[in-house]
Amino acid sequence: MSGLLLRALRAALPVPVALPAVRRLRTAAPRPAFAKELFLGTLRKEEVFPYPEISNEELEEINQFVGPVEKFFNEEVDSKKIDQDAKIPPETFKGLKDLGLFGMQIPEEYGGLGLSNTMYARLGEIISLDGSIAVTLAAHQAIGLKGILIAGTDEQKAKYLPRLASGEHLAAFCLTEPGSGSDAASIQTRATLSEDGKYFLLNGSKVWISNGGLANIFTVFARTEVVDKDGQLKDKITAFIVERDFGGVTHGKPEDKLGIRGSNTCEVHFENTKVPIENVIGEVGGGFKVAMNILNSGRFSMGSASAGMIKKLIEMTAEYACTRKQFNKKLSEFGLIQEKFCFMAVKAYVMESMAYLTAGMMDRPGFPDCSVEAAMVKVFSSEGAWACVSEALQILGGLGYMKDYPYERYLRDCRILLIFEGTNEILRMYIALTGMQYAGKILTDKIKEIKKGNVGVALGEFLSKLRDTMGRKVDYGLVGDHGVVHPSLQESGKKLEENIYYFGTTVKGLLSRFGKTIVDEQLVLKKVADIVINLYAMTAAISRASRSISIGLRNHDHEVLLTNIFCTEAYFKNNYAMAQLQKYADENLDDYIKKAAKQVLEKRAYTCSHPLDRTF
């Protein structure tokens, strides 16, 4: 029976463990948005200090899971063969089913493991060692069945989740179309309600669908006619649960991909597919919100998955660097090689810190909205993974380029991380605009209060500006005698506080300067996103390192060192970016960049004369 091994291990635990349904209960008041508050120059330290802890019972439970999963991936998974054959063999699928890995976050009452976000992230570290398997499992549960989990009815959950949890059925997420990639709202697949109102007829095609050729259950998004409040007929997106057995569901041949070659990716077509009305997820016309909630909830796990991969790369590459000799010295003795190992260690530590901080926040009661935090983890981790794999390959030189070694496969596999689950360009816009909108609303409310004659608000703004002109001392309570940051991290804490405060003033200046047109200033928004991603990364690393040194974890001094390196680098990057965002800044080249790009795109070519051309 699928998942029998891990469920047996759970049953053998000496202390009863809370059921996943209990873990997920959200009974407290809604929690404030940590990342959005950064745009106001506000640090809600109680949200991130101390670093999240899991219970002893949950820790014991996850440790019981880790062993069998690691053993399976180390001994039973042939990643080289999966890559070469461009498919995951049946015996590997069976092993994944036996471990219960198709139902990691499905509640136990439906046959899943019912893991918290933190536990899911921990197993993700191991699963990421094979990119094809990681994508197959993520497409199944992080997006494929997630709509049923978060917005499905009790009847839908009871009907579909048990077989999805066991791996008997595989799920896929069908949103992208030939004419709509990042612009999800422009999809053309249509679902037409039957005259008797009992079913929808679904017609359209979807592209780049992971698990598309294997799935039995599809979460499909299609346009439907909806009568709005004014009685007008409008097109709105609706989410559906579609079974392959409904008929009219076909798929194209598997795509021949650069990386993650063992995962199944293909076109999926729906032709007059009859979908019962009871298979609508959420409300008719509410599908866009369902899609965004699905995508927003799963991105955080890319941090732990990327960190797991980089930690493995460091281990393999260090062995080579410490034994390979050139010029009568080991590679590990050369400064430029040492720099690469420091770079990889810092990236792994920070993305891991961000991932588990976000997972811990998501596991708390109070309906936490961590969509911005999750997007920041995805952007930082995907770009960090790509850079680290490139550095690891570089350390091996020519050997790294050969297919006899896994480095080139890691390089090919991880390139997709910057593209799927929202391209990093789109996510940067989402991060920046979500935060700017949040800050804009609160700042607008303040202006209204001042105009109404609210003396308290007006005085507060005046005093704030006065303190800035006199050289404000920024103090959010991170450092000092009563600070939450360990003394060994005091300088990093001060840098974070200063960056946060001046980021808030920068955002205020941008909103004043651009107003609503800020949505069109993508180069500005990119810098805003990069700053706030760094701020969240600094926060996560400082909080984690403070915990580690405070409780005496082994090698905590190494964590402090990595954190201080990262925070110092991020601090100066943030300062430069904020300088670029000032009006008339010499550092800002945005207008020149746009002008150069326009000249290239008008000709659709590189326009410079060749160096051998002449006018005589």
Side-chain angles (χ1 to χ4, degrees):
M1 183 178 177
S2 179
L4 185 61
L5 175 59
L6 292 187
R7 281 200 289 274
L9 286 169
R10 168 182 275 149
L13 289 173
V15 180
V17 178
L19 287 174
V22 175
R23 270 196 215 109
R24 283 178 174 73
L25 281 177
R26 303 287 192 239
T27 55
R31 303 182 74 96
F34 173 79
K36 293 176 189 175
E37 289 284 327
L38 294 174
F39 287 80
L40 291 164
T42 302
L43 173 62
R44 292 192 177 274
K45 63 178 184 290
E46 69 279 2
E47 292 295 308
V48 290
F49 291 94
Y51 198 74
E53 295 275 5
I54 60 173
S55 67
N56 290 333
E57 292 83 2
E58 195 171 3
L59 181 61
E60 189 171 354
E61 184 179 6
I62 192 61
N63 286 338
Q64 292 273 7
F65 290 170
V66 165
V69 176
E70 277 187 335
K71 186 175 188 293
F72 175 77
F73 274 82
N74 288 333
E75 298 178 7
E76 305 295 333
V77 174
D78 187 343
S79 295
K80 185 176 181 180
K81 181 172 173 55
I82 289 172
D83 182 64
Q84 288 175 340
D85 296 348
K87 66 179 181 180
I88 300 169
E91 59 271 20
T92 303
F93 264 115
K94 182 181 183 304
L96 296 170
K97 292 175 185 178
D98 290 342
L99 286 167
L101 297 181
F102 285 92
M104 284 186 275
Q105 287 199 290
I106 295 176
E108 283 187 275
E109 63 188 286
Y110 300 112
L113 297 179
L115 303 185
S116 65
N117 290 297
T118 300
M119 297 168 77
Y120 178 63
R122 179 65 185 93
L123 290 187
E125 287 186 50
I126 307 165
I127 294 165
S128 69
L129 298 181
D130 186 283
S132 296
I133 292 176
V135 168
T136 299
L137 290 175
H140 169 73
Q141 57 200 321
I143 53 177
L145 61 81
K146 184 60 75 72
I148 303 174
L149 259 185
I150 64 176
T153 64
D154 290 342
E155 291 76 16
Q156 289 170 343
K157 292 175 182 178
K159 181 177 181 181
Y160 291 109
L161 290 181
R163 281 185 286 185
L164 289 167
S166 69
E168 179 185 345
H169 281 175
L170 198 62
F173 180 83
C174 298
L175 178 62
T176 305
E177 296 183 5
S180 66
S182 295
D183 183 10
S186 67
I187 63 172
Q188 296 303 310
T189 295
R190 180 163 291 280
T192 307
L193 187 63
S194 62
E195 289 186 7
D196 60 11
K198 291 184 178 179
Y199 61 87
F200 285 88
L201 270 183
L202 184 65
N203 285 280
S205 295
K206 303 289 183 175
V207 295
W208 319 130
I209 305 304
S210 296
N211 298 343
L214 308 174
N216 315 87
I217 307 296
F218 304 86
T219 297
V220 184
F221 298 87
R223 291 196 167 278
T224 52
E225 287 188 342
V226 179
V227 179
D228 67 10
K229 295 176 182 177
D230 302 326
Q232 300 291 317
L233 208 58
K234 289 192 175 180
D235 261 4
K236 289 194 175 181
I237 295 171
T238 300
F240 299 92
I241 304 168
V242 180
E243 300 177 27
R244 188 178 287 275
D245 291 343
F246 285 167
V249 181
T250 57
H251 63 269
K253 65 183 177 97
E255 301 288 354
D256 189 10
K257 305 188 294 293
L258 170 72
I260 54 168
R261 293 178 54 78
S263 65
N264 177 273
T265 309
C266 62
E267 294 184 12
V268 178
H269 309 284
F270 303 96
E271 186 176 355
N272 291 327
T273 301
K274 291 176 71 172
V275 184
I277 188 80
E278 56 267 24
N279 276 40
V280 170
I281 302 176
E283 299 177 352
V284 174
F288 186 78
K289 184 178 179 182
V290 171
M292 294 306 102
N293 286 340
I294 291 170
L295 292 169
N296 288 340
S297 66
R299 294 187 178 112
F300 79 94
S301 61
M302 198 174 289
S304 63
S306 298
M309 178 185 67
I310 296 168
K311 287 190 285 187
K312 181 68 174 177
L313 278 173
I314 290 173
E315 189 180 303
M316 294 190 302
T317 313
E319 178 66 27
Y320 178 81
C322 290
T323 53
R324 168 79 165 167
K325 280 193 172 184
Q326 291 288 284
F327 308 105
N328 294 319
K329 290 172 71 174
K330 294 176 184 175
L331 288 187
S332 57
E333 296 176 39
F334 291 97
L336 290 179
I337 300 298
Q338 292 168 355
E339 182 186 37
K340 295 181 189 302
F341 279 101
C342 175
F343 176 83
M344 290 190 287
V346 167
K347 289 290 185 186
Y349 183 78
V350 175
M351 65 179 68
E352 190 175 53
S353 302
M354 295 172 76
Y356 283 99
L357 174 61
T358 307
M361 293 165 73
M362 292 171 68
D363 284 334
R364 292 173 185 162
F367 299 98
D369 173 14
C370 298
S371 59
V372 175
E373 288 86 348
M376 292 194 286
V377 175
K378 193 270 188 186
V379 172
F380 185 92
S381 302
S382 59
E383 293 177 1
W386 173 245
C388 287
V389 174
S390 180
E391 292 286 32
L393 189 152
Q394 188 72 14
I395 292 168
L396 267 83
L399 286 180
Y401 205 71
M402 300 300 134
K403 283 188 175 288
D404 289 340
Y405 294 84
Y407 298 91
E408 61 85 29
R409 186 182 74 246
Y410 278 122
L411 192 76
R412 288 185 287 107
D413 282 353
C414 79
R415 186 58 185 85
I416 190 63
L417 300 180
L418 289 77
I419 299 171
F420 71 3
E421 291 198 37
T423 68
N424 285 8
E425 289 74 23
I426 288 291
L427 289 182
R428 278 189 166 88
M429 296 302 101
Y430 171 74
I431 291 163
L433 286 173
T434 302
M436 298 286 271
Q437 183 182 40
Y438 180 84
K441 183 180 183 307
I442 291 174
L443 293 172
T444 300
D445 291 343
K446 277 189 178 181
I447 292 169
K448 286 179 181 177
E449 287 298 314
I450 292 171
K451 286 181 178 178
K452 286 179 185 176
N454 189 320
V455 178
V457 175
L459 184 61
E461 288 296 299
F462 171 76
L463 290 174
S464 179
K465 289 179 181 178
L466 181 64
R467 281 194 291 268
D468 284 343
T469 59
M470 296 174 67
R472 169 193 293 264
K473 181 185 178 185
V474 182
D475 183 5
Y476 289 105
L478 291 186
V479 299
D481 293 341
H482 303 290
V484 292
V485 171
H486 192 273
S488 61
L489 294 152
Q490 183 166 302
E491 289 305 311
S492 290
K494 287 178 180 177
K495 288 180 173 68
L496 174 59
E497 288 184 327
E498 183 186 319
N499 271 177
I500 289 173
Y501 177 77
Y502 288 108
F503 177 61
T505 62
T506 300
V507 167
K508 189 184 293 186
L510 292 173
L511 288 169
S512 174
R513 190 159 104 225
F514 293 108
K516 291 181 179 179
T517 64
I518 190 71
V519 298
D520 300 317
E521 300 293 333
Q522 291 200 344
L523 298 184
V524 170
L525 294 171
K526 178 181 182 291
K527 295 179 186 70
V528 169
D530 286 341
I531 295 167
V532 78
I533 290 169
N534 273 339
L535 294 179
Y536 188 55
M538 291 167 76
T539 303
I542 292 171
S543 179
R544 177 185 173 190
S546 290
R547 170 190 178 268
S548 296
I549 194 168
S550 296
I551 66 174
L553 286 185
R554 62 183 175 82
N555 299 328
H556 56 71
D557 54 333
H558 185 64
E559 294 189 39
V560 171
L561 179 62
L562 296 180
T563 299
N564 285 333
I565 290 171
F566 175 76
C567 288
T568 300
E569 290 181 339
Y571 170 77
F572 288 111
K573 286 179 184 176
N574 288 342
N575 283 342
Y576 185 72
M578 285 189 276
Q580 287 181 302
L581 290 171
Q582 301 307 307
K583 198 171 185 180
Y584 309 123
D586 290 337
E587 297 90 343
N588 193 318
L589 300 175
D590 289 358
D591 289 340
Y592 298 106
I593 291 168
K594 286 188 275 191
K595 184 177 180 180
K598 184 178 179 183
Q599 291 170 353
V600 171
L601 292 168
E602 280 176 349
K603 301 290 185 181
R604 299 192 180 188
Y606 174 73
T607 60
C608 299
S609 300
H610 193 276
L612 300 182
D613 287 351
R614 59 175 64 186
T615 58
F616 53 88

